[in-house]
Amino acid sequence: MDLTRTEVAVRKDRRGSAARFGLIALPVAFFAAFFAYPVAAIVARGLKVDGAWRFGRIGEVLAQSDVRHVLWFTTWQAFVSTALTLLIALPGAYVFARFDFRGKQVLRAAVTVPFVLPTVVVGTAFLALVGRGGLLDELWGVRLDTTVWAILLAHVFFNYAVVVRTVGGLWAQLDPRQEEAARMLGASPWKAWRQVTLPALGPAVAAAALMVFLFTFTSFGVVQILGGPTFSTLEVEIYRQTSEIFDLSTAAVLTLIQFVAVGAILALHAWTVRRRETALRLVDASVTARRPRGAGQWALLGGVLLTIVVLLLLPLAVLVQRSLDAPGFGYYRALTRADGGVFLVPPIEAIGNSLEYAVAATVIAVVIGGLAAVALTRRDAGRFVRGFDALLMLPLGVSAVTVGFGFLIALDEPPLDLRSSWILVPLAQALVGVPFVVRTMLPVLRAVDVRLREAASVLGASPWRVWREVDLPMVRRALLIAAGFAFAVSLGEFGATVFIARPDNPTLPVAVARLLGRPGDLNYGQAMALSTILMVVCAVALLVLERLRTADRTGEF
């Protein structure tokens, strides 16, 4: 029996609804079980006394002058850090997207290494540079460890790769002929870039700025080491209230404040990005990169390389130098011995643990984040799906201390009794990796011309085949970038992992932090040695990723 057009439309709408639900169901369940539930459990534990809610505690905490000072410093330093990072890193994003030069792949991997270092290591490295007896103090008698500049520069060091990879990934695929056409019509280079390229890059720049702001808004290790008693962010104060003062009530209030602030920022970002969405003309990134031409472009390349050397590579060189202070690689050899104290196993075993956890976390993050990104780009996505876009970013803005404690409190009884399971660590790491997967893939997915999908559907292709034949070839590169980010973030995640990693299975960041927390030159040297090993592991992983991306463009491996 022939179906009427109405029946065909109804069946098609039902299939579309089923597809939407199937795409978003797993990400929603994942975040409900491993983010919303643990965070709600720890907040409830802090605001409930004898079974009764104490919401009046919120006003009591906000009335404290020291809390208001922490809120003010947290906010303004995040804004300044974000602006400074964009100012310094956007030229680097352009250079990596449009220029082809020797050593580009190695340098791209090198600029990403700082991002995956534990924040405590970043703080220690900058303390060795700008603190008492540091490099600046020895050369020019200048110290910055008592000023906010040390914190701001450390944040730029940490987040430089976020802008370069997020913005540069899309920039490399923008068709340069659009800007060239504006130049031919009489526009100056600056006007052509401002009116043609910048609007196209808007969503990627906004996504990068959002991630940088969230990381600096919730900064912990960097501020704890470089801020001293003068500067403190919400994250540092939550840790202090929880671990030192044991005031879980105040910590819960501060967590709620941070949660509300981040939620408002994400809602504003989602509204702004939707207003600026557009279909872009994307091309193969290999045809947009070329050798620099003219004195201006060579000067720009030289300036970016100098910035990378001074701001990014110099602190890393300090870590390597400190790890080699002991003769005969003494600090490295000490890593193979168990001390029977803080570590139940030799610290060197943290390398294998970190790699295993990072691989598992990457798989989880890519699956969850990929499904969410595809669901968010469907034209028939409902309000709930669009609202879920902002919720996906919340793990970056909620205290990692809260998430870690929440895991211990909430996931200790059936059906989610996972406290003794190895999967607990990858789950916590994947929570931070998923937002990177989504934010990296969304600009490219949204830039795909929807008419290509519609044409494939009209020709009889199923939704899966449309994705495989239309979307996947265009987003394969973004998917590799997203996987690399997720892997890198998992290797360096510290805030939540420190509470749930077992003593016999420490990760590299946890091992470094434990060694830094113990007095003695041997412990400090071992921490620097482990940090150097972490840098090497990350550099190798990122170089492999660059190789895969190159093979994807050329068809060869």
Side-chain angles (χ1 to χ4, degrees):
M1 180 182 295
D2 295 335
L3 297 176
T4 65
R5 290 184 178 181
T6 302
E7 292 173 328
V8 171
V10 169
R11 292 190 177 187
K12 184 176 181 180
D13 183 66
R14 289 176 179 174
R15 288 197 299 267
S17 299
R20 288 198 307 272
F21 177 79
L23 288 171
I24 204 65
L26 187 58
V28 169
F30 177 81
F31 273 83
F34 302 115
F35 176 69
Y37 176 48
V39 171
I42 192 67
V43 171
R45 182 70 65 92
L47 292 181
K48 268 189 174 182
V49 177
D50 297 329
W53 290 95
R54 292 184 56 199
F55 291 110
R57 181 61 179 157
I58 298 177
E60 296 173 3
V61 173
L62 288 176
Q64 301 174 14
S65 59
D66 55 341
V67 170
R68 293 198 301 270
H69 175 75
V70 168
L71 286 171
W72 167 244
F73 174 75
T74 300
T75 303
W76 81 258
Q77 68 82 25
F79 275 112
V80 175
S81 296
T82 302
L84 196 60
T85 302
L86 290 174
L87 180 66
I88 295 176
L90 280 176
Y94 174 78
V95 165
F96 281 105
R98 295 302 197 198
F99 290 173
D100 186 19
F101 53 91
R102 183 174 298 179
K104 179 179 176 179
Q105 292 183 21
V106 175
L107 196 62
R108 192 198 303 271
V111 301
T112 310
V113 170
F115 180 73
V116 301
L117 289 177
T119 53
V120 291
V121 176
V122 174
T124 303
F126 269 81
L127 195 63
L129 286 175
V130 303
R132 177 177 299 179
L135 185 62
L136 293 183
D137 192 15
E138 292 178 354
L139 294 178
W140 298 293
V142 176
R143 288 182 55 191
L144 299 176
D145 57 320
T146 56
T147 71
V148 73
W149 280 106
I151 296 174
L152 297 178
L153 291 176
H155 284 162
V156 176
F157 167 88
F158 189 75
N159 294 293
Y160 186 90
V162 175
V163 178
V164 169
R165 286 189 170 266
T166 303
V167 179
L170 179 60
W171 206 336
Q173 291 183 276
L174 290 181
D175 192 344
R177 291 174 294 184
Q178 299 180 39
E179 187 173 327
E180 292 170 358
R183 295 280 304 277
M184 293 180 63
L185 293 175
S188 64
W190 164 248
K191 186 176 182 179
W193 181 83
R194 180 169 53 87
Q195 295 186 352
V196 177
T197 303
L198 183 59
L201 289 174
V205 173
L210 172 67
M211 287 189 284
V212 173
F213 184 87
L214 289 179
F215 276 122
T216 53
F217 190 83
T218 59
S219 183
F220 175 57
V222 169
V223 179
Q224 187 181 39
I225 293 176
L226 297 176
T230 306
F231 304 108
S232 178
T233 58
L234 273 173
E235 187 82 357
V236 174
E237 189 64 21
I238 292 171
Y239 178 81
R240 189 174 73 88
Q241 295 289 339
T242 303
S243 302
E244 298 177 9
I245 303 179
F246 304 107
D247 187 352
L248 195 58
S249 175
T250 299
V253 172
L254 295 178
T255 297
L256 284 177
I257 294 171
Q258 187 172 340
F259 190 87
V260 171
V262 170
I265 295 167
L266 294 177
L268 176 62
H269 171 266
W271 177 78
T272 303
V273 169
R274 280 200 303 270
R275 285 173 59 91
R276 301 173 67 177
E277 287 178 8
T278 183
L280 306 175
R281 183 181 299 173
L282 302 181
V283 297
D284 188 346
S286 63
V287 304
T288 64
R290 53 179 173 75
R291 298 281 294 178
R293 301 172 184 173
Q297 292 189 356
W298 281 107
L300 176 60
L301 176 59
V304 169
L305 294 179
L306 180 62
T307 300
I308 291 174
V309 169
V310 173
L311 185 61
L312 303 184
L313 299 186
L314 186 59
L316 301 183
V318 171
L319 292 181
V320 176
Q321 184 271 326
R322 294 292 178 89
S323 73
L324 297 174
D325 280 347
F329 298 96
Y331 293 144
Y332 290 91
R333 287 188 285 108
L335 295 175
T336 62
R337 301 190 296 267
D339 59 5
V342 174
F343 296 102
L344 300 180
V345 296
I348 197 70
E349 293 191 12
I351 300 174
N353 297 334
S354 288
L355 291 175
E356 291 175 0
Y357 289 145
V359 170
T362 300
V363 173
I364 296 172
V366 169
V367 171
I368 299 297
L371 289 175
V374 173
L376 291 170
T377 54
R378 290 181 63 92
R379 293 185 64 186
D380 53 357
R383 290 184 177 180
F384 172 76
V385 175
R386 291 194 297 268
F388 191 60
D389 182 12
L391 297 178
L392 287 169
M393 298 297 294
L394 283 178
L396 297 182
V398 173
S399 169
V401 175
T402 301
V403 174
F405 270 122
F407 267 46
L408 293 180
I409 292 175
L411 305 181
D412 63 342
E413 57 185 24
L416 292 175
D417 186 5
L418 301 176
R419 288 183 63 172
S420 59
S421 174
W422 69 272
I423 197 63
L424 200 62
V425 173
L427 287 172
Q429 294 174 343
L431 277 174
V432 184
V434 168
F436 282 94
V437 175
V438 175
R439 293 266 72 85
T440 303
M441 294 184 63
L442 266 183
V444 178
L445 279 171
R446 284 172 169 162
V448 177
D449 194 336
V450 69
R451 291 173 297 182
L452 297 176
R453 300 190 184 108
E454 293 174 347
S457 298
V458 169
L459 294 174
S462 64
W464 163 245
R465 188 173 181 183
V466 171
W467 159 253
R468 190 181 71 235
E469 301 291 343
V470 177
D471 292 82
L472 184 58
M474 303 193 74
V475 303
R476 184 184 292 114
R477 185 170 181 268
L479 186 62
L480 289 174
I481 296 175
F485 259 132
F487 183 81
V489 169
S490 300
L491 279 177
E493 204 287 322
F494 170 71
T497 306
V498 69
F499 295 103
I500 56 180
R502 295 184 300 183
D504 58 340
N505 284 288
T507 64
L508 277 169
V510 171
V512 169
R514 290 177 180 173
L515 288 169
L516 286 174
R518 304 174 67 186
D521 292 338
L522 179 60
N523 292 317
Y524 182 80
Q526 289 184 82
M528 295 301 101
L530 274 182
S531 299
T532 302
I533 292 173
L534 178 57
M535 285 191 293
V536 173
V537 171
C538 293
V540 171
L542 294 169
L543 282 173
V544 170
L545 176 64
E546 291 298 319
R547 180 61 174 167
L548 289 174
R549 292 172 58 189
T550 303
D552 179 60
R553 292 194 300 264
T554 63
E556 300 174 357
F557 185 78

